[in-house]
Amino acid sequence: MMQESAEHWEYDGSFLGFMTIVDRSFREKKFPALILSPETAVESLFLSEWVTTDPRRGEKIYHRLRQRLRPENFLFIQNGFYATLEGKERYLLDAIEIALQTKDLLENHLGHPSILALRKSIRTMLGENHALTGFVRFEYVGDVLFSKINPKHYVMPYLCPHFAERYPQEKIMIYDETHELLGIIDHGDIHLMENTSCPEFAEASDEQEIRQQWKTFLRAVTIDERANYKAQRNHLPLRFRGNMTEFKA
């Protein structure tokens, strides 16, 4: 039986780091009151114990969870880790404990506040990812398709596989400004580089010329009297337009 502890733990924010937290928590049979990451530790006034990521133990608990949990519940926990939710690590420990005790879907345990909070956050994250699959715009930089995005959630692990499957013969780079994360897709192979700055490219003149011609065409065919800007915002929220080529000057 897991016991509640007044301890505060801090880790590096990585998935293997969280798996190390899970391993320690279940070995010691206790849940810390608070789990801090680099993002949340800055705002915290509490002293915490640093838990060093152990790749070996992290990988071991990862594979053990995959074996013991039903696939839907393991996916729920994995999705919950990438969702943007304050205190998600503590909620995820609750979710793992419940999943280890039942063969039922975690989605059926919405009476538990941790499961409900995770489910809401996961749905929001997956909704943003779905929207971005339609709103991401690429430009050729040499032989590479490049795009820059500003998502609220950590969607790159979901977005990159979509475009890897959609463009299996292309070299693609997607930069997430919010999380300083660069996704590199090379003929279907995906690599994520964290804590990196946006690549700088000199814009090809022909690309700029094509974009300008497209804008001129759109202005020519637009009937101002029929413009419905409220409907446009409903279908294409303003926050998605910043890096869309058709809205660039």
Side-chain angles (χ1 to χ4, degrees):
M1 182 69 180
M2 304 299 291
Q3 300 295 321
E4 295 290 334
S5 166
E7 298 175 21
H8 296 160
W9 296 353
E10 183 180 347
Y11 77 115
D12 62 8
S14 69
F15 186 70
L16 275 182
F18 176 64
M19 288 292 103
T20 304
I21 292 282
V22 173
D23 175 73
R24 175 177 171 177
S25 182
F26 280 88
R27 278 192 296 107
E28 299 182 2
K29 298 186 182 304
K30 62 183 179 183
F31 285 164
L34 186 64
I35 302 174
L36 300 171
S37 67
E39 293 180 349
T40 55
V42 176
E43 302 175 356
S44 175
L45 300 177
F46 298 103
L47 294 176
S48 57
E49 177 188 352
W50 178 261
V51 179
T52 302
T53 297
D54 185 331
R56 183 183 63 83
R57 300 198 73 91
E59 289 280 359
K60 186 175 180 180
I61 196 69
Y62 169 81
H63 291 295
R64 186 175 297 173
L65 289 175
R66 290 204 67 171
Q67 291 172 355
R68 292 192 58 183
L69 304 185
R70 63 183 294 174
E72 298 90 343
N73 288 344
F74 181 82
L75 182 60
F76 182 93
I77 291 164
Q78 196 168 39
N79 288 343
F81 175 79
Y82 289 119
T84 300
L85 174 64
E86 185 176 354
K88 66 183 178 183
E89 292 87 356
R90 185 59 185 79
Y91 296 149
L92 286 167
L93 287 180
D94 287 338
I96 292 171
E97 183 183 30
I98 294 171
L100 288 169
Q101 295 174 349
T102 180
K103 295 296 183 181
D104 194 13
L105 289 171
L106 285 173
E107 292 268 1
N108 294 333
H109 291 260
L110 297 180
H112 195 292
S114 294
I115 304 300
L116 180 61
L118 286 167
R119 180 177 181 250
K120 288 181 178 178
S121 186
I122 290 169
R123 287 197 166 189
T124 303
M125 177 193 68
L126 295 180
E128 181 179 47
N129 177 68
H130 178 71
L132 283 169
T133 59
F135 295 150
V136 168
R137 295 294 185 268
F138 291 102
E139 298 179 70
Y140 268 111
V141 181
D143 62 346
V144 175
L145 284 170
F146 176 74
S147 181
K148 187 161 53 176
I149 60 176
N150 299 88
K152 293 181 179 179
H153 298 270
Y154 199 89
V155 298
M156 290 284 273
Y158 307 88
L159 197 61
C160 285
H162 168 80
F163 288 111
E165 182 178 354
R166 187 173 178 182
Y167 303 115
Q169 303 303 319
E170 297 281 359
K171 295 179 181 178
I172 302 171
M173 295 177 71
I174 305 174
Y175 184 69
D176 175 352
E177 287 188 304
T178 307
H179 304 93
E180 297 183 334
L181 181 65
L182 179 64
I184 301 174
I185 306 169
D186 188 358
H187 296 85
D189 292 330
I190 301 171
H191 304 278
L192 297 179
M193 296 177 59
E194 297 183 327
N195 302 317
T196 185
S197 57
C198 181
E200 295 294 334
F201 301 109
E203 185 176 36
S205 59
D206 57 342
E207 176 71 30
Q208 191 171 17
E209 183 178 349
I210 292 171
R211 184 193 303 165
Q212 188 57 47
Q213 290 175 352
W214 176 247
K215 283 177 162 292
T216 301
F217 167 75
L218 289 178
R219 283 194 294 267
V221 299
T222 298
I223 301 174
D224 292 335
E225 290 77 8
R226 295 184 181 178
N228 188 335
Y229 297 108
K230 182 177 180 180
Q232 288 178 15
R233 286 193 296 272
N234 288 336
H235 291 290
L236 180 52
L238 295 175
R239 72 183 185 90
F240 288 109
R241 302 184 187 186
N243 292 308
M244 296 179 70
T245 56
E246 53 264 59
F247 289 97
K248 292 181 181 179

